[in-house]
Amino acid sequence: MPTFIYSISFICMVVILAYHRVSRPIFTAMIAALLVIGTLFDIIGIVGWLLFTIIALVVNIAPLRKKTLTTYALNSFKKVMPKMSQTEQEAIDAGTVWWEADLFSGKPDWNKLHAIQPPTLTAAEQAFLDGPVNDVCRMVNDFQVTHDLADLPPEVWQQLKQHKFFAMIIKKQYGGLEFSAYAQSLVLQKLTGVSAVLSSTVGVPNSLGPGELLQHYGTEDQKNYYLPRLAAGTEIPCFALTSPEAGSDAGSIPDFGIVKQGLWQGKEVLGMELTWNKRYITLAPVATVLGLAFKLFDPDHLLGDKQDLGITCALIPTDVDGVEIGRRHFPLNIPFQNGPTRGEKIFVPIDFIIGGQAMAGQGWRMLVECLSVGRGITLPSNATGGLKNAAMATGAYARIRRQFKLPIGKMEGIEEPLARIVGNAYVLDAAATMTVTGIDLGQKPAVISAIVKYHCTHRSQRGIIDAMDIAGGKGICMGPRNFLARGYQGAPIAVTVEGANILTRSMIIFGQGAIRCHPYVLDEINAAYSDDPHHAVNQFDRALFSHIGFVISNMSRSLWLGLTDGRGSFAPYKDETQRYYQQMNRYSANLALLADISMVTLGGSLKRKERLSARLGDVLSQLYLASATLKRYADDGQQQQDIALIHWGLQDTLYQTEVAIDEFLVNFPNKAIAYGLRLLILPTGLRRRKPADELDHQLAGLIQTPSATRDRIGRGLFLEPTANNTVGMMEVALRDILAAEPIYDRVCQAANTQLPFMQLGKVATIGLELGVITAEEAELLHRAEAGRLYTINVDDFDPQHLAANPRQATSQINSAA
């Protein structure tokens, strides 16, 4: 056997074994067999066998391996590993890992994904959506809320309290609704379509706030007192975390408390003297109980030996003397109750700490654990509901509004942004649904919640911008019939809160994901921090050598799947989605390999390479969005009518995946390593393309034509044609216009002239005179014309009505006259 053929065969066998991740003993045995064959053909000599024997003994005999390689590697790892702060450690320890770990594995288990049962509603949850939720949607006039009142009307507040909208997360034993995360998401999506102020008001108490913290960490006395009152709406909660000096860097909050003895209601008790200055606190202006995060100090050691106890969370009744609430912020004309709260040297008992004295200093852990759940529900649901609503409304508008004698939705220039809105609405709905499914299964998905928070708010904002471009003048003129402007104004709010998007993308998604989702890195870190040398060596040994095999496997998988573009790898379905699963197998292996190479070559400096970290986070994020989209398609019964949505969603996410990989390699500091990785990962160059024009055309057509697919795009929205619901009125107008068009064509043919598609009442008169339409058809033309005008016309006002201070405006107008 020629040496060249043997060498190629040897390399191929190593790649195959690594690709399939065979065990260490089998790998060793197969290499030995190859060496025997090489010896028979006089290719392998004594030197080759000697090297193999040394390596095989060290790798496979644990005591020998630990005394030599493992101990040296552990000591070296300790030297290069960056110091981890307590807040970083608690953030990493918080929550759980779920499907994102599979995406990080280099070999996703697609059967595991599709074994997850789709979420369902209980009878009580469905009744709530059909009853109280629809009722409150009918009650709200968003223009009145945002322009006239700068608040929800009193009757709406009463409806929310009476029907326990603030108690969706509170357990039934305390009088709450105890709804699933899925039900909460659907409630918020429906409310968002009607009013962002409404959904924000409901969302925050059911997200990160006193109710959530009390149920997980509160004492029995605290639970029994506060939770029934929160459920009944007699207490309105808020949670104050953000300070002027500490926004996204919440661990640096300057607000503090001093443990001391003091007077409380005439008695001397052990307590805390609190000083705080918070801002951006939703519901603070109307709250009756304030959840407060602060740093607690014990200079007199009244609680123990530690002086700096750390971040602590407490519940403060807002009627305590010195608590300042009531003033409001004005966030981009979306006037939900949001404002500052302050307090200076306010003394409260120590048992105001959530969980009591024992939880002093445990606040950061409490917050990050609860945030991983709440952040996965509220903002993704609100953003998704808003974009779905914009998709339905903009689709209807584009079909009704005509320019140059045809609906503007048929123009290619409109089809492009319209397709982005529709495709993203479908993808975001899939991602939001999959995330709350995980939460309902008991997951606390810290990494996934960061992914959906960022991408749902980011894509939704850009979708609203696209919708404004399509609507043009209709979109910029405020009024009761404007279906976009408040969403356009308010989109940056969602991008900013609960972890600013720039921070979330550049630091959190991959920063947490690389450690939490990686199968071995966290074990290696824990071994390095262990105080037990024997345990440390054993743990590090197991993790390290599994990690080495993991890297070799992902190198092999990246090369082979790069050459084949994933062909031949496992896919759960042999249909039009098969190639997408296979391509995702490829990019999963790429992600795992790039993460490992980055951590090895850049070490602690990777934390400071935020743009590199962000791009790796983008790969993980896009794979999650793509996974959720494929799962939604499967859970919906693989409706062939929806396949264009799948093609758009997967082509878009996988294109962005490959762009992120390419940009990562272009900007990797070590150019030699970057070149080698490019040959390994992208051996045939860039393969993905953006969705084609024809696919955009199909999506634009779907959203302009009533169908089961269009209904699935807008599923769960409030689309009743009530007087205050412009989108519902436009839905009726769309159906009437589509029904009127063939009648209009018949009249034009009978009249032997092309009448303008306007003043359809006149068309009806002509049709009746010519005897080509019935009275019912004439009525339909009149109704279609009314709906057309409602859709395309914009609101106008008396000048004084637009002034924030009408009296002052009247005075100025009179003076000018």
Side-chain angles (χ1 to χ4, degrees):
M1 177 184 292
T3 301
F4 177 76
I5 295 176
Y6 176 81
S7 300
I8 295 298
S9 301
F10 188 95
I11 292 171
C12 288
M13 180 57 69
V14 170
V15 170
I16 291 170
L17 294 172
Y19 179 94
H20 289 288
R21 299 183 175 178
V22 301
S23 65
R24 197 180 307 149
I26 293 177
F27 192 96
T28 303
M30 293 298 294
I31 297 300
L34 287 172
L35 292 178
V36 169
I37 294 172
T39 302
L40 293 176
F41 285 94
D42 202 27
I43 296 173
I44 301 299
I46 187 65
V47 175
W49 276 104
L50 183 61
L51 289 173
F52 168 75
T53 301
I54 293 172
I55 294 172
L57 290 174
V58 171
V59 169
N60 288 281
I61 299 177
L64 179 61
R65 182 178 68 239
K66 292 175 185 177
K67 288 183 179 179
T68 54
L69 296 179
T70 304
T71 301
Y72 174 78
L74 177 58
N75 291 332
S76 300
F77 184 70
K78 288 180 178 179
K79 293 177 182 178
V80 300
M81 188 175 63
K83 180 70 175 175
M84 189 177 297
S85 68
Q86 181 180 346
T87 54
E88 287 178 311
Q89 184 66 54
E90 289 175 346
I92 288 172
D93 291 341
T96 60
V97 292
W98 187 46
W99 176 246
E100 71 273 36
D102 268 81
L103 296 174
F104 220 102
S105 71
K107 192 178 181 182
D109 184 351
W110 300 113
N111 289 329
K112 171 183 172 182
L113 175 70
H114 291 293
I116 300 168
Q117 293 298 307
T120 57
L121 296 172
T122 66
E125 290 168 341
Q126 186 64 62
F128 188 77
L129 280 161
D130 294 340
V133 175
N134 281 347
D135 289 342
V136 80
C137 287
R138 296 183 188 106
M139 294 170 67
V140 172
N141 178 334
D142 190 52
F143 188 74
Q144 177 197 43
V145 169
T146 55
H147 181 74
D148 296 332
L149 302 179
D151 193 7
L152 297 171
E155 61 271 19
V156 172
W157 277 102
Q158 183 58 34
Q159 174 83 355
L160 298 179
K161 294 176 182 179
Q162 178 182 344
H163 292 281
K164 302 185 178 183
F165 278 79
F166 301 141
M168 290 191 290
I169 62 167
I170 296 177
K171 296 183 183 300
K172 292 179 180 178
Q173 70 186 86
Y174 300 109
L177 298 176
E178 199 173 345
F179 280 174
S180 64
Y182 178 57
Q184 294 175 51
S185 177
L186 294 186
V187 170
L188 294 175
Q189 287 192 41
K190 183 172 281 192
L191 297 181
T192 299
V194 173
S195 170
V197 174
L198 178 62
S199 61
S200 298
T201 301
V202 172
V204 170
N206 289 288
S207 180
L208 177 62
E212 179 81 0
L213 294 171
L214 279 170
Q215 291 196 128
H216 283 86
Y217 309 105
T219 65
E220 288 304 311
D221 286 344
Q222 289 172 340
K223 292 178 183 178
N224 291 332
Y225 178 78
Y226 276 114
L227 291 176
R229 297 168 66 85
L230 290 169
T234 55
E235 298 277 9
I236 299 296
C238 70
F239 192 85
L241 174 61
T242 305
S243 303
E245 292 84 3
S248 297
D249 184 14
S252 299
I253 56 175
D255 314 287
F256 64 94
I258 306 295
V259 178
K260 59 177 16 181
Q261 295 288 139
L263 289 177
W264 178 255
Q265 297 179 348
K267 297 180 181 179
E268 185 169 309
V269 299
L270 181 63
M272 306 169 290
E273 187 179 77
L274 304 175
T275 296
W276 72 88
N277 178 22
K278 303 287 191 178
R279 63 180 180 182
Y280 308 149
I281 312 305
T282 298
L283 295 185
V286 295
T288 62
V289 59
L290 169 70
L292 183 68
F294 55 93
K295 289 184 176 178
L296 185 60
F297 299 92
D298 185 15
D300 298 328
H301 302 288
L302 298 175
L303 300 182
D305 296 333
K306 289 181 66 176
Q307 179 171 325
D308 183 352
L309 299 177
I311 295 175
T312 302
C313 296
L315 287 179
I316 316 296
T318 57
D319 59 2
V320 171
D321 287 344
V323 174
E324 296 181 29
I325 62 167
R327 294 190 64 80
R328 296 178 60 179
H329 301 310
F330 193 26
L332 290 175
N333 272 331
I334 310 297
F336 57 99
Q337 291 285 349
N338 183 275
T341 175
R342 301 177 183 88
E344 185 172 353
K345 294 185 177 181
I346 294 175
F347 182 81
V348 296
I350 199 75
D351 57 12
F352 276 24
I353 295 174
I354 298 176
Q357 181 177 322
M359 295 302 289
Q362 300 299 309
W364 184 243
R365 176 173 64 85
M366 295 161 60
L367 291 171
V368 292
E369 286 181 353
C370 288
L371 184 62
S372 66
V373 174
R375 188 171 55 185
I377 301 174
T378 305
L379 284 172
S381 301
N382 289 353
T384 298
L387 186 58
K388 287 164 58 176
N389 205 63
M392 299 294 282
T394 308
Y397 179 80
R399 185 62 180 80
I400 295 169
R401 175 74 165 137
R402 291 184 173 230
Q403 292 282 276
F404 308 107
K405 299 183 180 180
L406 79 161
I408 64 170
K410 295 184 180 296
M411 300 176 180
E412 288 192 358
I414 298 294
E415 286 183 343
E416 180 182 3
L418 189 56
R420 284 198 298 265
I421 298 168
V422 176
N424 280 313
Y426 185 85
V427 169
L428 295 193
D429 198 14
T433 300
M434 182 165 160
T435 302
V436 294
T437 300
I439 292 171
D440 284 332
L441 291 173
Q443 299 293 330
K444 295 183 177 180
V447 177
I448 286 178
S449 69
I451 289 172
V452 291
K453 187 277 168 179
Y454 171 77
H455 285 278
C456 286
T457 58
H458 174 78
R459 286 182 177 230
S460 179
Q461 182 186 34
R462 274 140 185 80
I464 297 296
I465 293 171
D466 278 334
M468 286 290 285
D469 286 346
I470 294 170
K474 173 72 176 182
I476 64 170
C477 290
M478 304 291 291
R481 286 184 286 187
N482 190 304
F483 57 90
L484 286 175
R486 293 302 187 198
Y488 176 82
Q489 288 179 318
I493 300 172
V495 166
T496 301
V497 299
E498 288 192 18
N501 273 7
I502 291 176
L503 168 86
T504 302
R505 175 176 178 261
S506 61
M507 297 179 66
I508 294 178
I509 294 175
F510 181 75
Q512 281 192 315
I515 297 175
R516 291 306 311 273
C517 300
H518 196 288
Y520 307 111
V521 165
L522 187 57
D523 287 341
E524 291 167 343
I525 291 174
N526 289 336
Y529 279 122
S530 175
D531 295 327
D532 182 345
H534 179 72
H535 171 75
V537 170
N538 287 336
Q539 184 179 17
F540 194 78
D541 179 77
R542 286 192 299 270
L544 175 64
F545 285 91
S546 296
H547 194 162
I548 292 172
F550 182 71
V551 173
I552 294 172
S553 170
N554 285 316
M555 291 178 67
S556 300
R557 292 180 65 81
S558 290
L559 176 61
W560 178 251
L561 296 175
L563 290 169
T564 64
D565 196 24
R567 289 181 175 83
S569 62
F570 175 74
Y573 300 108
K574 306 300 181 184
D575 58 11
E576 292 181 78
T577 65
Q578 179 180 14
R579 289 291 295 125
Y580 296 130
Y581 287 102
Q582 293 175 333
Q583 290 159 8
M584 290 176 69
N585 290 336
R586 171 189 178 182
Y587 295 127
S588 174
N590 295 165
L591 171 64
L593 179 61
L594 289 174
D596 276 321
I597 298 300
S598 300
M599 287 187 283
V600 168
T601 58
L602 299 178
S605 66
L606 182 58
K607 288 173 61 176
R608 298 185 294 275
K609 298 289 185 182
E610 294 177 11
R611 298 185 72 177
L612 290 180
S613 177
R615 291 175 180 120
L616 291 177
D618 288 344
V619 177
L620 177 60
S621 298
Q622 299 299 337
L623 291 177
Y624 181 75
L625 297 180
S627 301
T629 305
L630 288 169
K631 177 161 175 56
R632 174 180 179 176
Y633 180 65
D635 289 348
D636 284 349
Q638 297 174 311
Q639 303 291 331
Q640 185 59 32
Q641 308 97 302
D642 298 356
I643 195 64
L645 295 166
I646 292 299
H647 286 316
W648 194 98
L650 269 295
Q651 289 174 26
D652 176 71
T653 52
L654 295 183
Y655 170 78
Q656 293 193 52
T657 298
E658 194 172 70
V659 166
I661 291 173
D662 178 54
E663 291 180 351
F664 177 88
L665 295 174
V666 167
N667 293 281
F668 196 75
N670 190 314
K671 299 305 178 184
I673 292 177
Y675 181 74
L677 287 171
R678 184 174 290 277
L679 291 178
L680 196 65
I681 290 173
L682 301 171
T684 60
L686 301 178
R687 301 288 294 272
R688 307 279 75 81
R689 295 290 183 269
K690 291 182 179 180
D693 294 354
E694 174 57 29
L695 192 53
D696 282 354
H697 172 73
Q698 292 177 41
L699 263 65
L702 283 174
I703 203 62
Q704 296 179 71
T705 309
S707 66
T709 295
R710 188 175 186 273
D711 290 343
R712 282 188 286 273
I713 294 169
R715 63 184 182 182
L717 297 177
F718 182 73
L719 298 176
E720 290 184 16
T722 61
N724 296 330
N725 188 18
T726 298
V727 180
M729 297 288 283
M730 292 169 64
E731 285 291 293
V732 173
L734 172 64
R735 285 168 170 77
D736 286 345
I737 287 291
L738 293 176
E741 285 180 344
I743 302 171
Y744 159 83
D745 290 337
R746 196 189 320 149
V747 174
C748 290
Q749 186 175 7
N752 198 29
T753 185
Q754 187 66 37
L755 299 167
F757 195 84
M758 61 181 67
Q759 299 180 334
L760 297 180
K762 293 183 178 179
V763 175
T765 300
I766 295 171
L768 288 172
E769 291 174 350
L770 293 174
V772 294
I773 65 173
T774 66
E776 290 77 12
E777 289 173 327
E779 173 59 28
L780 175 59
L781 287 173
H782 282 285
R783 195 167 64 245
E785 177 66 9
R788 186 184 73 84
L789 293 176
Y790 177 90
T791 299
I792 68 173
N793 282 336
V794 300
D795 298 287
D796 51 71
F797 305 91
D798 184 289
Q800 296 181 43
H801 184 68
L802 297 179
N805 188 332
R807 291 184 179 179
Q808 182 178 350
T810 301
S811 175
Q812 290 178 345
I813 291 171
N814 292 335
S815 297

